[in-house]
Amino acid sequence: MLTVTEDDFSEYHVPPRRMLMHHPRHGLSLENLSRERLAALNFLDLPHVDELYAEYDAFAALIGSHVDTLYLDDVLADHEPYRLEAAGNPNLIFMRDSSVTLPWSPSTFVPTRPALPSRAREAEIVTAALQRLGMKPLTRLEHDEYLEGGDVLPVTFDGRRVLLVGFGVRTTKAAAIKLALDLIPHHVDYIIGLSHDPELLHLDTGFTVLPNKVILAAAGMFGAGFLIDEDRRLSPVNPLAYAEALGCSIVRCDKADAIAHERCNLLPLGNRSYLAFDLPAELKATLEAAAGVTIHLVKGTEIAKATGGVHCLTRPLYA
């Protein structure tokens, strides 16, 4: 297992102890999916269910070769709200969005609050699971504070614990401010807000941080942003310029490609291993050389029709 030094508590450095997931077979929600529901669920197209199951099985097996997997069904089999949600909500597979876990605080989590009506109950379900596993929630969102976990990346810069929070179509600036009020200074040192193009669903659709201060970002995705410091003071900042000032190098990919193929949606598994849906050979080689990582590829053509990638499908647990 990777030895984590004091200042290496980024998501990409800390190997998860377990990966919390939801298998699409549990509840069979895809079996009853119709074209009439695609827009409400934000699906790009109706997937071929048997092929999606096969893709998910291969994906889960590859994760299982690196880290123990744990399914919601293992934790909540007797939980009636979970069974109802699993039967009717195919988006429950996107476990990233319903909570935020912090590599530097393994016994706690941040409950999220999806704005999309069809996903509103997911955070409650996953909160119940994490509490059963002995984890403690750090905050509670309400009013105009909407947050999905795909918009949050926990990293460390120069030994300081940072939350990168994207805001756009699913996450609000009010939620980022609420996180600052409740988490700084005990659980987070500062927060960087990144305003992203509304064509990209979440931050992890077009942005990821890798070792060696390498950032993969969709070109033209980011404009303005802000920083909330250790005194909870908010100031405007250009997120990519700020990252470059910290010594980060930025690898850019085409925005349309990021949307259609989840190019930036990479999953760190620890020990400098990553998992991704298919990547162009040149981009894969560039990232592996610059960040000193190995990227394992898995087919995700049918899964991507649900507008999600490997990062979206997982919730790492650090305890």
mmCIF file of all heavy atoms in Angstrom, residues 179-219:
data_model
loop_
_atom_site.group_PDB
_atom_site.id
_atom_site.type_symbol
_atom_site.label_atom_id
_atom_site.label_comp_id
_atom_site.label_asym_id
_atom_site.label_seq_id
_atom_site.Cartn_x
_atom_site.Cartn_y
_atom_site.Cartn_z
ATOM 1 N N LEU A 179 -20.139 25.087 3.124
ATOM 2 C CA LEU A 179 -19.040 24.191 3.464
ATOM 3 C C LEU A 179 -17.917 24.961 4.156
ATOM 4 O O LEU A 179 -17.328 24.475 5.129
ATOM 5 C CB LEU A 179 -18.502 23.510 2.203
ATOM 6 C CG LEU A 179 -19.425 22.520 1.489
ATOM 7 C CD1 LEU A 179 -18.714 21.913 0.286
ATOM 8 C CD2 LEU A 179 -19.913 21.431 2.432
ATOM 9 N N ALA A 180 -17.624 26.149 3.669
ATOM 10 C CA ALA A 180 -16.575 26.961 4.296
ATOM 11 C C ALA A 180 -16.940 27.298 5.734
ATOM 12 O O ALA A 180 -16.104 27.195 6.645
ATOM 13 C CB ALA A 180 -16.356 28.233 3.485
ATOM 14 N N LEU A 181 -18.180 27.696 5.954
ATOM 15 C CA LEU A 181 -18.610 28.087 7.296
ATOM 16 C C LEU A 181 -18.536 26.924 8.275
ATOM 17 O O LEU A 181 -18.171 27.098 9.440
ATOM 18 C CB LEU A 181 -20.035 28.648 7.247
ATOM 19 C CG LEU A 181 -20.207 29.994 6.543
ATOM 20 C CD1 LEU A 181 -21.685 30.342 6.425
ATOM 21 C CD2 LEU A 181 -19.456 31.095 7.284
ATOM 22 N N ASP A 182 -18.882 25.724 7.785
ATOM 23 C CA ASP A 182 -18.964 24.578 8.690
ATOM 24 C C ASP A 182 -17.675 23.767 8.791
ATOM 25 O O ASP A 182 -17.458 23.092 9.804
ATOM 26 C CB ASP A 182 -20.099 23.649 8.243
ATOM 27 C CG ASP A 182 -21.469 24.226 8.520
ATOM 28 O OD1 ASP A 182 -21.546 25.315 9.130
ATOM 29 O OD2 ASP A 182 -22.474 23.598 8.129
ATOM 30 N N LEU A 183 -16.822 23.808 7.764
ATOM 31 C CA LEU A 183 -15.653 22.917 7.738
ATOM 32 C C LEU A 183 -14.335 23.608 8.031
ATOM 33 O O LEU A 183 -13.390 22.973 8.502
ATOM 34 C CB LEU A 183 -15.565 22.205 6.386
ATOM 35 C CG LEU A 183 -16.787 21.389 5.959
ATOM 36 C CD1 LEU A 183 -16.489 20.637 4.663
ATOM 37 C CD2 LEU A 183 -17.231 20.418 7.045
ATOM 38 N N ILE A 184 -14.223 24.906 7.707
ATOM 39 C CA ILE A 184 -12.997 25.657 8.010
ATOM 40 C C ILE A 184 -13.059 26.141 9.461
ATOM 41 O O ILE A 184 -14.066 26.675 9.877
ATOM 42 C CB ILE A 184 -12.852 26.870 7.053
ATOM 43 C CG1 ILE A 184 -12.709 26.396 5.596
ATOM 44 C CG2 ILE A 184 -11.671 27.739 7.440
ATOM 45 C CD1 ILE A 184 -12.728 27.527 4.574
ATOM 46 N N PRO A 185 -12.014 25.960 10.278
ATOM 47 C CA PRO A 185 -10.676 25.450 9.966
ATOM 48 C C PRO A 185 -10.447 23.999 10.391
ATOM 49 O O PRO A 185 -9.393 23.443 10.139
ATOM 50 C CB PRO A 185 -9.779 26.370 10.783
ATOM 51 C CG PRO A 185 -10.583 26.601 12.046
ATOM 52 C CD PRO A 185 -12.031 26.635 11.591
ATOM 53 N N HIS A 186 -11.427 23.387 11.067
ATOM 54 C CA HIS A 186 -11.156 22.085 11.690
ATOM 55 C C HIS A 186 -11.033 20.946 10.683
ATOM 56 O O HIS A 186 -10.255 20.007 10.899
ATOM 57 C CB HIS A 186 -12.242 21.761 12.720
ATOM 58 C CG HIS A 186 -12.318 22.757 13.847
ATOM 59 N ND1 HIS A 186 -11.270 22.951 14.714
ATOM 60 C CD2 HIS A 186 -13.296 23.611 14.223
ATOM 61 C CE1 HIS A 186 -11.606 23.886 15.594
ATOM 62 N NE2 HIS A 186 -12.824 24.303 15.313
ATOM 63 N N HIS A 187 -11.786 20.986 9.601
ATOM 64 C CA HIS A 187 -11.809 19.869 8.658
ATOM 65 C C HIS A 187 -11.238 20.224 7.285
ATOM 66 O O HIS A 187 -10.892 19.329 6.514
ATOM 67 C CB HIS A 187 -13.233 19.357 8.504
ATOM 68 C CG HIS A 187 -13.838 18.893 9.789
ATOM 69 N ND1 HIS A 187 -13.486 17.705 10.389
ATOM 70 C CD2 HIS A 187 -14.749 19.479 10.612
ATOM 71 C CE1 HIS A 187 -14.169 17.564 11.519
ATOM 72 N NE2 HIS A 187 -14.925 18.623 11.680
ATOM 73 N N VAL A 188 -11.146 21.504 6.975
ATOM 74 C CA VAL A 188 -10.626 21.981 5.691
ATOM 75 C C VAL A 188 -9.869 23.278 5.951
ATOM 76 O O VAL A 188 -10.267 24.064 6.818
ATOM 77 C CB VAL A 188 -11.781 22.229 4.686
ATOM 78 C CG1 VAL A 188 -11.272 22.908 3.420
ATOM 79 C CG2 VAL A 188 -12.486 20.918 4.330
ATOM 80 N N ASP A 189 -8.785 23.517 5.218
ATOM 81 C CA ASP A 189 -8.034 24.766 5.391
ATOM 82 C C ASP A 189 -8.563 25.880 4.495
ATOM 83 O O ASP A 189 -8.665 27.018 4.924
ATOM 84 C CB ASP A 189 -6.549 24.521 5.126
ATOM 85 C CG ASP A 189 -5.931 23.637 6.203
ATOM 86 O OD1 ASP A 189 -6.141 23.925 7.394
ATOM 87 O OD2 ASP A 189 -5.275 22.642 5.849
ATOM 88 N N TYR A 190 -8.878 25.566 3.247
ATOM 89 C CA TYR A 190 -9.527 26.571 2.400
ATOM 90 C C TYR A 190 -10.270 25.890 1.259
ATOM 91 O O TYR A 190 -10.100 24.681 1.005
ATOM 92 C CB TYR A 190 -8.550 27.640 1.903
ATOM 93 C CG TYR A 190 -7.435 27.210 0.979
ATOM 94 C CD1 TYR A 190 -7.563 27.319 -0.401
ATOM 95 C CD2 TYR A 190 -6.211 26.765 1.482
ATOM 96 C CE1 TYR A 190 -6.521 26.975 -1.255
ATOM 97 C CE2 TYR A 190 -5.167 26.418 0.643
ATOM 98 C CZ TYR A 190 -5.333 26.520 -0.720
ATOM 99 O OH TYR A 190 -4.298 26.174 -1.564
ATOM 100 N N ILE A 191 -11.105 26.668 0.596
ATOM 101 C CA ILE A 191 -11.949 26.167 -0.484
ATOM 102 C C ILE A 191 -11.722 27.012 -1.729
ATOM 103 O O ILE A 191 -11.647 28.242 -1.647
ATOM 104 C CB ILE A 191 -13.435 26.202 -0.076
ATOM 105 C CG1 ILE A 191 -13.723 25.081 0.943
ATOM 106 C CG2 ILE A 191 -14.367 26.073 -1.291
ATOM 107 C CD1 ILE A 191 -15.122 25.108 1.515
ATOM 108 N N ILE A 192 -11.587 26.340 -2.869
ATOM 109 C CA ILE A 192 -11.518 27.032 -4.151
ATOM 110 C C ILE A 192 -12.784 26.697 -4.930
ATOM 111 O O ILE A 192 -13.087 25.519 -5.155
ATOM 112 C CB ILE A 192 -10.282 26.625 -4.966
ATOM 113 C CG1 ILE A 192 -8.999 27.004 -4.215
ATOM 114 C CG2 ILE A 192 -10.298 27.294 -6.343
ATOM 115 C CD1 ILE A 192 -7.726 26.529 -4.889
ATOM 116 N N GLY A 193 -13.541 27.707 -5.298
ATOM 117 C CA GLY A 193 -14.733 27.516 -6.110
ATOM 118 C C GLY A 193 -14.402 27.718 -7.574
ATOM 119 O O GLY A 193 -13.694 28.664 -7.936
ATOM 120 N N LEU A 194 -14.890 26.810 -8.411
ATOM 121 C CA LEU A 194 -14.619 26.876 -9.846
ATOM 122 C C LEU A 194 -15.951 26.946 -10.589
ATOM 123 O O LEU A 194 -16.740 26.002 -10.549
ATOM 124 C CB LEU A 194 -13.849 25.639 -10.318
ATOM 125 C CG LEU A 194 -12.495 25.351 -9.645
ATOM 126 C CD1 LEU A 194 -12.665 24.423 -8.462
ATOM 127 C CD2 LEU A 194 -11.537 24.708 -10.646
ATOM 128 N N SER A 195 -16.215 28.057 -11.233
ATOM 129 C CA SER A 195 -17.422 28.200 -12.039
ATOM 130 C C SER A 195 -17.195 27.492 -13.367
ATOM 131 O O SER A 195 -16.321 27.870 -14.134
ATOM 132 C CB SER A 195 -17.726 29.682 -12.269
ATOM 133 O OG SER A 195 -18.820 29.836 -13.133
ATOM 134 N N HIS A 196 -17.989 26.425 -13.629
ATOM 135 C CA HIS A 196 -17.751 25.687 -14.861
ATOM 136 C C HIS A 196 -18.899 25.830 -15.851
ATOM 137 O O HIS A 196 -20.027 26.142 -15.493
ATOM 138 C CB HIS A 196 -17.424 24.210 -14.586
ATOM 139 C CG HIS A 196 -18.465 23.448 -13.826
ATOM 140 N ND1 HIS A 196 -19.662 23.053 -14.374
ATOM 141 C CD2 HIS A 196 -18.460 22.974 -12.560
ATOM 142 C CE1 HIS A 196 -20.353 22.367 -13.489
ATOM 143 N NE2 HIS A 196 -19.653 22.315 -12.376
ATOM 144 N N ASP A 197 -18.573 25.610 -17.093
ATOM 145 C CA ASP A 197 -19.517 25.713 -18.187
ATOM 146 C C ASP A 197 -20.741 24.848 -17.902
ATOM 147 O O ASP A 197 -20.605 23.677 -17.540
ATOM 148 C CB ASP A 197 -18.816 25.226 -19.465
ATOM 149 C CG ASP A 197 -19.599 25.518 -20.724
ATOM 150 O OD1 ASP A 197 -20.809 25.240 -20.738
ATOM 151 O OD2 ASP A 197 -18.996 26.010 -21.696
ATOM 152 N N PRO A 198 -21.960 25.390 -18.025
ATOM 153 C CA PRO A 198 -23.156 24.601 -17.725
ATOM 154 C C PRO A 198 -23.356 23.401 -18.639
ATOM 155 O O PRO A 198 -24.154 22.515 -18.322
ATOM 156 C CB PRO A 198 -24.302 25.617 -17.891
ATOM 157 C CG PRO A 198 -23.737 26.721 -18.708
ATOM 158 C CD PRO A 198 -22.292 26.780 -18.369
ATOM 159 N N GLU A 199 -22.635 23.331 -19.757
ATOM 160 C CA GLU A 199 -22.726 22.146 -20.599
ATOM 161 C C GLU A 199 -22.089 20.933 -19.939
ATOM 162 O O GLU A 199 -22.368 19.792 -20.315
ATOM 163 C CB GLU A 199 -22.055 22.401 -21.947
ATOM 164 C CG GLU A 199 -22.787 23.398 -22.831
ATOM 165 C CD GLU A 199 -22.114 23.524 -24.188
ATOM 166 O OE1 GLU A 199 -21.545 22.523 -24.658
ATOM 167 O OE2 GLU A 199 -22.166 24.624 -24.760
ATOM 168 N N LEU A 200 -21.213 21.159 -18.972
ATOM 169 C CA LEU A 200 -20.581 20.066 -18.246
ATOM 170 C C LEU A 200 -21.302 19.877 -16.919
ATOM 171 O O LEU A 200 -21.441 20.812 -16.126
ATOM 172 C CB LEU A 200 -19.102 20.358 -18.026
ATOM 173 C CG LEU A 200 -18.324 20.386 -19.346
ATOM 174 C CD1 LEU A 200 -17.774 21.775 -19.600
ATOM 175 C CD2 LEU A 200 -17.221 19.362 -19.341
ATOM 176 N N LEU A 201 -21.751 18.647 -16.691
ATOM 177 C CA LEU A 201 -22.631 18.386 -15.563
ATOM 178 C C LEU A 201 -21.965 18.654 -14.221
ATOM 179 O O LEU A 201 -22.536 19.280 -13.335
ATOM 180 C CB LEU A 201 -23.116 16.938 -15.636
ATOM 181 C CG LEU A 201 -24.318 16.564 -14.786
ATOM 182 C CD1 LEU A 201 -25.530 17.386 -15.174
ATOM 183 C CD2 LEU A 201 -24.604 15.073 -14.937
ATOM 184 N N HIS A 202 -20.739 18.152 -14.063
ATOM 185 C CA HIS A 202 -20.030 18.259 -12.792
ATOM 186 C C HIS A 202 -18.571 18.648 -13.029
ATOM 187 O O HIS A 202 -18.056 18.529 -14.145
ATOM 188 C CB HIS A 202 -20.047 16.920 -12.035
ATOM 189 C CG HIS A 202 -21.377 16.506 -11.530
ATOM 190 N ND1 HIS A 202 -21.976 15.317 -11.889
ATOM 191 C CD2 HIS A 202 -22.254 17.128 -10.703
ATOM 192 C CE1 HIS A 202 -23.140 15.209 -11.286
ATOM 193 N NE2 HIS A 202 -23.339 16.297 -10.566
ATOM 194 N N LEU A 203 -17.916 19.030 -11.971
ATOM 195 C CA LEU A 203 -16.491 19.335 -12.032
ATOM 196 C C LEU A 203 -15.700 18.159 -12.588
ATOM 197 O O LEU A 203 -14.799 18.331 -13.415
ATOM 198 C CB LEU A 203 -15.983 19.711 -10.635
ATOM 199 C CG LEU A 203 -14.503 20.076 -10.497
ATOM 200 C CD1 LEU A 203 -14.174 21.328 -11.285
ATOM 201 C CD2 LEU A 203 -14.137 20.256 -9.020
ATOM 202 N N ASP A 204 -16.022 16.926 -12.132
ATOM 203 C CA ASP A 204 -15.237 15.778 -12.570
ATOM 204 C C ASP A 204 -15.525 15.366 -14.010
ATOM 205 O O ASP A 204 -14.883 14.457 -14.534
ATOM 206 C CB ASP A 204 -15.376 14.591 -11.604
ATOM 207 C CG ASP A 204 -16.780 13.993 -11.537
ATOM 208 O OD1 ASP A 204 -17.669 14.423 -12.302
ATOM 209 O OD2 ASP A 204 -16.997 13.088 -10.706
ATOM 210 N N THR A 205 -16.499 16.019 -14.661
ATOM 211 C CA THR A 205 -16.695 15.795 -16.091
ATOM 212 C C THR A 205 -15.552 16.399 -16.892
ATOM 213 O O THR A 205 -15.198 15.884 -17.962
ATOM 214 C CB THR A 205 -18.020 16.421 -16.569
ATOM 215 O OG1 THR A 205 -19.096 15.935 -15.770
ATOM 216 C CG2 THR A 205 -18.291 16.104 -18.023
ATOM 217 N N GLY A 206 -14.976 17.490 -16.396
ATOM 218 C CA GLY A 206 -13.971 18.190 -17.176
ATOM 219 C C GLY A 206 -12.734 18.599 -16.410
ATOM 220 O O GLY A 206 -11.991 19.471 -16.868
ATOM 221 N N PHE A 207 -12.462 17.940 -15.266
ATOM 222 C CA PHE A 207 -11.335 18.392 -14.453
ATOM 223 C C PHE A 207 -10.916 17.269 -13.521
ATOM 224 O O PHE A 207 -11.752 16.638 -12.864
ATOM 225 C CB PHE A 207 -11.770 19.613 -13.628
ATOM 226 C CG PHE A 207 -10.679 20.279 -12.838
ATOM 227 C CD1 PHE A 207 -10.008 21.378 -13.350
ATOM 228 C CD2 PHE A 207 -10.330 19.818 -11.574
ATOM 229 C CE1 PHE A 207 -9.018 22.014 -12.616
ATOM 230 C CE2 PHE A 207 -9.345 20.445 -10.835
ATOM 231 C CZ PHE A 207 -8.682 21.550 -11.355
ATOM 232 N N THR A 208 -9.635 17.011 -13.453
ATOM 233 C CA THR A 208 -9.114 16.107 -12.430
ATOM 234 C C THR A 208 -7.688 16.509 -12.088
ATOM 235 O O THR A 208 -6.988 17.124 -12.894
ATOM 236 C CB THR A 208 -9.164 14.634 -12.889
ATOM 237 O OG1 THR A 208 -8.954 13.777 -11.765
ATOM 238 C CG2 THR A 208 -8.117 14.344 -13.948
ATOM 239 N N VAL A 209 -7.270 16.174 -10.874
ATOM 240 C CA VAL A 209 -5.916 16.462 -10.399
ATOM 241 C C VAL A 209 -5.177 15.141 -10.246
ATOM 242 O O VAL A 209 -5.707 14.183 -9.677
ATOM 243 C CB VAL A 209 -5.938 17.219 -9.064
ATOM 244 C CG1 VAL A 209 -4.517 17.588 -8.637
ATOM 245 C CG2 VAL A 209 -6.799 18.475 -9.167
ATOM 246 N N LEU A 210 -3.964 15.092 -10.759
ATOM 247 C CA LEU A 210 -3.127 13.890 -10.693
ATOM 248 C C LEU A 210 -1.851 14.203 -9.919
ATOM 249 O O LEU A 210 -1.563 15.371 -9.609
ATOM 250 C CB LEU A 210 -2.788 13.397 -12.104
ATOM 251 C CG LEU A 210 -3.950 12.883 -12.948
ATOM 252 C CD1 LEU A 210 -4.529 14.002 -13.815
ATOM 253 C CD2 LEU A 210 -3.506 11.734 -13.848
ATOM 254 N N PRO A 211 -1.068 13.169 -9.582
ATOM 255 C CA PRO A 211 0.213 13.416 -8.907
ATOM 256 C C PRO A 211 1.137 14.305 -9.743
ATOM 257 O O PRO A 211 0.901 14.552 -10.931
ATOM 258 C CB PRO A 211 0.790 12.001 -8.748
ATOM 259 C CG PRO A 211 -0.393 11.100 -8.749
ATOM 260 C CD PRO A 211 -1.368 11.739 -9.699
ATOM 261 N N ASN A 212 2.196 14.757 -9.104
ATOM 262 C CA ASN A 212 3.196 15.645 -9.719
ATOM 263 C C ASN A 212 2.590 16.982 -10.152
ATOM 264 O O ASN A 212 3.081 17.634 -11.074
ATOM 265 C CB ASN A 212 3.876 14.975 -10.926
ATOM 266 C CG ASN A 212 4.645 13.724 -10.553
ATOM 267 O OD1 ASN A 212 4.908 13.487 -9.374
ATOM 268 N ND2 ASN A 212 4.990 12.921 -11.536
ATOM 269 N N LYS A 213 1.500 17.375 -9.476
ATOM 270 C CA LYS A 213 0.822 18.654 -9.753
ATOM 271 C C LYS A 213 0.400 18.764 -11.215
ATOM 272 O O LYS A 213 0.572 19.810 -11.854
ATOM 273 C CB LYS A 213 1.710 19.840 -9.354
ATOM 274 C CG LYS A 213 1.903 19.969 -7.842
ATOM 275 C CD LYS A 213 2.597 21.263 -7.465
ATOM 276 C CE LYS A 213 2.631 21.455 -5.954
ATOM 277 N NZ LYS A 213 3.274 22.725 -5.570
ATOM 278 N N VAL A 214 -0.146 17.671 -11.724
ATOM 279 C CA VAL A 214 -0.679 17.648 -13.088
ATOM 280 C C VAL A 214 -2.196 17.763 -13.024
ATOM 281 O O VAL A 214 -2.843 17.072 -12.232
ATOM 282 C CB VAL A 214 -0.272 16.359 -13.821
ATOM 283 C CG1 VAL A 214 -0.961 16.268 -15.187
ATOM 284 C CG2 VAL A 214 1.244 16.289 -13.974
ATOM 285 N N ILE A 215 -2.766 18.638 -13.833
ATOM 286 C CA ILE A 215 -4.214 18.811 -13.915
ATOM 287 C C ILE A 215 -4.653 18.497 -15.340
ATOM 288 O O ILE A 215 -4.044 18.969 -16.306
ATOM 289 C CB ILE A 215 -4.630 20.244 -13.539
ATOM 290 C CG1 ILE A 215 -4.404 20.491 -12.044
ATOM 291 C CG2 ILE A 215 -6.090 20.514 -13.903
ATOM 292 C CD1 ILE A 215 -4.635 21.925 -11.613
ATOM 293 N N LEU A 216 -5.692 17.685 -15.472
ATOM 294 C CA LEU A 216 -6.335 17.448 -16.760
ATOM 295 C C LEU A 216 -7.633 18.235 -16.771
ATOM 296 O O LEU A 216 -8.475 18.069 -15.882
ATOM 297 C CB LEU A 216 -6.621 15.957 -16.950
ATOM 298 C CG LEU A 216 -7.445 15.563 -18.189
ATOM 299 C CD1 LEU A 216 -6.729 15.964 -19.478
ATOM 300 C CD2 LEU A 216 -7.743 14.066 -18.170
ATOM 301 N N ALA A 217 -7.801 19.127 -17.740
ATOM 302 C CA ALA A 217 -8.972 20.005 -17.770
ATOM 303 C C ALA A 217 -9.502 20.117 -19.190
ATOM 304 O O ALA A 217 -8.739 20.144 -20.164
ATOM 305 C CB ALA A 217 -8.619 21.394 -17.233
ATOM 306 N N ALA A 218 -10.827 20.197 -19.296
ATOM 307 C CA ALA A 218 -11.462 20.437 -20.590
ATOM 308 C C ALA A 218 -11.232 21.886 -20.985
ATOM 309 O O ALA A 218 -11.459 22.812 -20.198
ATOM 310 C CB ALA A 218 -12.949 20.128 -20.503
ATOM 311 N N ALA A 219 -10.770 22.102 -22.195
ATOM 312 C CA ALA A 219 -10.480 23.456 -22.665
ATOM 313 C C ALA A 219 -11.737 24.311 -22.682
ATOM 314 O O ALA A 219 -12.802 23.867 -23.099
ATOM 315 C CB ALA A 219 -9.876 23.393 -24.068
#
